[in-house]
Amino acid sequence: MDGKEVARLIRAEVAASVNQMSVRPALATVLVGDDPASATYVLSKRRAISDAGIVDAHRHVSQDHNQGSVAAIIDELVLDDSVTGILLQLPLPDHLDSASLINRIPPHKDVDGLTEANAGRLLLGQHGLAPCTPAGVLALLDHYDIDLFGAEVVVIGRSNLVGRPLGQLLLRRHATVTMCHSRTRDLPRLCRRADVLITAAGVPGLVTASAVKVGATVIDVGINRTEHGLCGDVAFGEVMPRVHAITPVPGGVGPMTIAMLLRNTVTAAHESIRV
Ligand code: NAD
């Protein structure tokens, strides 16, 4: 499954819908400090934002800001009607409390879908903005017509960012979902049941050929930096010959995350107009 190509199509769709809007959406990415990985992620998000015709309302805050001053910047963006989406880049420096800062963002501007309000809506099956990586996994499965209705789907990982919301999105689509994590007993046995196996653990080589049913679809969300470069959680070479479809790393789920951020930004802009 070619995440780059599907992401390109979604980004083109987003750019076309932005072009139709009478008021351009504006996304404020908020970067606190100078962590190089976070800076790189924010830069690629900002490039994608501009390419889609969305206004780049980026804010860079120095490392020495305290909880109160970062909160004040978020509050200012919340009150600014021209800013239709806010993204607080994680992880934050250790002296800041991420959860309370994220929850200052109102649900209709929460383009990362990480506030308690949007997480609750997802859990209750209500309308809201879903986290970008899980939404990207669903968009990829949909693009390739992978049937989820009643399917056995195994998700490895239960983080608030990926595994947990992904489980909810899959339930919404009537999949039979098994959630696995670091304390799961006999992971390979459970994985072998999966029509669709999705791993988001961050453990290279976690999913080997013997853990995959012949003809399954395998989605690898993991991104691991090794001495040989980037890899996912799946032993790609040995798993690929057994499967119906599989995502590579890089070039699978990664590009979809940014594409879904852009899609969420357009949805948020429509919501802001309504609020
Ligand atoms: P996390 O560390 O918060 O969560 C990892 C989860 O995996 C935990 O729930 C843990 O219980 C489970 N786990 C760890 N080791 C395991 C094992 N041996 N067996 C079974 N379960 C195990 O990480 P996260 O933020 O959810 O990210 C997961 C991976 O996805 C990371 O590699 C991360 O880099 C990647 N990621 C990719 C994207 C993307 O855009 N492609 C976005 C976010 C995260």
Side-chain angles (χ1 to χ4, degrees):
M1 285 181 268
D2 184 349
K4 262 196 215 161
E5 175 58 14
V6 181
R8 191 187 63 73
L9 295 172
I10 292 173
R11 287 169 66 158
E13 260 170 42
V14 169
S17 58
V18 168
N19 202 27
Q20 302 276 311
M21 293 172 79
S22 51
V23 181
R24 279 210 296 164
L27 174 55
T29 47
V30 180
L31 174 64
V32 183
D34 296 303
D35 173 60
S38 294
T40 306
Y41 284 134
V42 168
L43 196 61
S44 51
K45 289 171 187 174
R46 292 178 63 199
R47 282 205 191 108
I49 290 164
S50 300
D51 287 351
I54 295 165
V55 175
D56 175 14
H58 174 67
R59 301 292 286 269
H60 188 188
V61 181
S62 68
Q63 173 87 19
D64 52 17
H65 274 60
N66 62 22
Q67 185 80 13
S69 57
V70 178
I73 289 163
I74 292 174
D75 291 351
E76 192 189 305
L77 294 167
V78 169
L79 291 174
D80 184 342
D81 287 340
S82 71
V83 172
T84 52
I86 304 170
L87 178 156
L88 183 59
Q89 181 65 36
L90 301 176
L92 291 175
D94 288 344
H95 66 281
L96 298 173
D97 172 2
S98 310
S100 78
L101 290 170
I102 286 171
N103 284 309
R104 300 186 89 83
I105 303 172
H108 65 279
K109 290 195 181 188
D110 170 28
V111 290
D112 247 351
L114 295 179
T115 57
E116 286 170 7
N118 274 322
R121 288 177 186 183
L122 187 57
L123 185 70
L124 297 173
Q126 295 171 355
H127 173 74
L129 293 163
C132 301
T133 301
V137 170
L138 265 284
L140 205 48
L141 289 167
D142 285 344
H143 179 86
Y144 286 98
D145 286 328
I146 308 296
D147 191 13
L148 292 171
F149 195 96
E152 285 256 19
V153 182
V154 172
V155 177
I156 310 174
R158 58 173 165 183
S159 72
N160 290 341
L161 188 64
V162 187
R164 219 176 277 260
L166 182 54
Q168 295 303 327
L169 288 172
L170 290 161
L171 275 178
R172 222 183 238 198
R173 302 289 291 276
H174 311 290
T176 302
V177 184
T178 304
M179 298 295 301
C180 299
H181 46 78
S182 54
R183 314 290 159 83
T184 296
R185 290 191 201 129
D186 200 352
L187 183 68
R189 180 180 62 84
L190 292 168
C191 290
R192 276 192 292 274
R193 289 183 4 193
D195 301 314
V196 178
L197 174 60
I198 308 174
T199 176
V203 179
L206 180 66
V207 175
T208 56
S210 62
V212 176
K213 180 161 90 175
V214 172
T217 295
V218 177
I219 305 281
D220 193 349
V221 183
I223 299 178
N224 306 297
R225 279 164 222 283
T226 70
E227 58 190 24
H228 309 295
L230 283 189
C231 73
D233 295 347
V234 177
F236 187 88
E238 63 176 65
V239 169
M240 199 187 59
R242 294 175 73 83
V243 298
H244 165 65
I246 186 168
T247 58
V249 176
V253 176
M256 295 299 292
T257 297
I258 290 192
M260 300 321 284
L261 171 66
L262 301 179
R263 192 180 264 180
N264 272 356
T265 302
V266 170
T267 307
H270 287 302
E271 300 283 326
S272 286
I273 292 162
R274 257 185 260 150
V275 167

